[in-house]
Amino acid sequence: RWLGQSELKKTTLAMAFSRRFAPVMAFMLPMAGAFSTPATATLSRSVGAAGARSLCMQSNTEAPKGKLLVLGGTGFVGARITELALERGYEIVSLSRRGNPTEGLPVTATTKGVTWRTGDAAKPEEVEKVLAEGGFTGVIHAIGMLFEGNINKYASGSRSVPREGATYDEITRLTAFNAAAAAAASAKNGPVPFGFVSAAETAWTFDERLKGTPVEWMHRYLIAKRAVEGKLVDEYGAGGKLRPVIVRPSLIFTYDKPGKLVPVAAFWLGNAIGLPFVDRPVTLDTVCKSLIVGVESPGESGIFDYKGMDRLASKF
């Protein structure tokens, strides 16, 4: 009732909270395995030499929507994108260090109509080789990690373990830059649709303050995300080579583990009372559906927050 008396009071309270509780909210990001942040997709331990294993199990039906390249297609977000895109009529090529999907993924992607490739998107030639096959109607980048090191498996929805020494710059920025460059080079009939899973927290203006705190990793994580957003929008988008579709989810969750939704509830409440640095959590399906619809819709381009994702996902 007090908050409803004036927007000024609401804004004042929100700004006071932002100074004190932003580090707390950042610390809560990895608390539950029932949800994932945008950085918990793939780049797990390699299962063999890059490109050495490729399992192609094509469906007998033609893919009317065309062919999508999903980078990180065996991860928490990527596997669901693969599954939903198949339902929508796409043929899928998945490139990840895992190669084939492993047992225990949070979703079980159908294998018909998917070509599973083992490869490292941090090596530009491996992405170029796949895109050189031609016929792709779009690219979706769903590679990432929340934590540097083995601890990532406890926060990752797919139990992804980055290779030793992996950094946010390599896993997020380098893989996305490689994919964007290869996709732009393949453009022949207009800009190539390019989906990227970013993070709502890239809009923060105060993460420099996280340096020297237990959540300093969040600052490094956001630097990598911002670099990719800038590259896609300011260079490739403005240059007409790519049509970037960038989604900015905060917490990504599923309803199948309700006992672990405490951090989701905290973020939901923070957004409801107007904290300027807290976006409403979104479901895994909302993120994935919004990316697919955005990539296939010529009129959609730019950065989409949770409201934008809701709008796109409703058209799936």
Side-chain angles (χ1 to χ4, degrees), residues 113-290:
V114 181
T115 301
W116 303 102
R117 297 288 180 81
T118 303
D120 187 352
K123 299 176 181 179
E125 65 275 11
E126 297 192 8
V127 184
E128 293 166 1
K129 182 179 179 180
V130 176
L131 283 172
E133 297 170 6
F136 290 95
T137 56
V139 178
I140 296 180
H141 182 284
I143 296 173
M145 65 179 180
L146 183 59
F147 288 122
E148 297 163 324
N150 290 345
I151 194 174
N152 188 70
K153 68 181 179 182
Y154 299 108
S156 170
S158 64
R159 300 296 180 183
S160 172
V161 180
R163 63 165 166 262
E164 186 175 354
T167 64
Y168 296 118
D169 185 72
E170 175 191 359
I171 302 304
T172 300
R173 186 195 64 80
L174 183 59
T175 60
F177 275 28
N178 289 343
S186 72
K188 294 182 176 62
N189 301 310
V192 176
F194 193 100
F196 176 66
V197 184
S198 187
E201 291 74 24
T202 55
W204 286 3
T205 59
F206 53 82
D207 51 286
E208 285 273 351
R209 300 176 187 176
L210 301 181
K211 290 182 177 180
T213 72
V215 291
E216 183 175 352
W217 56 269
M218 190 67 177
H219 177 59
R220 299 193 301 274
Y221 168 80
L222 294 177
I223 287 174
K225 292 287 189 184
R226 290 177 186 133
V228 177
E229 287 190 2
K231 190 78 166 179
L232 292 177
V233 174
D234 299 332
E235 182 174 335
Y236 291 115
K241 289 294 186 179
L242 300 179
R243 178 169 59 81
V245 176
I246 301 168
V247 295
R248 279 184 172 179
S250 181
L251 297 187
I252 304 172
F253 70 97
T254 61
Y255 288 106
D256 59 342
K257 297 179 181 178
K260 296 185 177 181
L261 296 178
V262 173
V264 172
F267 272 69
W268 206 295
L269 176 61
N271 175 259
I273 67 174
L275 296 186
F277 60 91
V278 179
D279 268 29
R280 194 201 72 207
V282 291
T283 65
L284 176 62
D285 274 13
T286 296
V287 175
C288 299
K289 288 178 179 180
S290 65

Side-chain angles (χ1 to χ4, degrees), residues 60-100:
N60 294 323
T61 59
E62 185 180 355
K65 289 281 189 177
K67 184 166 62 171
L68 281 181
L69 173 59
V70 180
L71 299 166
T74 57
F76 179 70
V77 175
R80 186 58 176 155
I81 290 173
T82 296
E83 191 172 45
L84 289 170
L86 283 170
E87 292 177 8
R88 200 154 174 86
Y90 286 96
E91 177 187 346
I92 307 296
V93 176
S94 166
L95 179 68
S96 68
R97 286 178 60 86
R98 276 196 186 101
N100 299 332

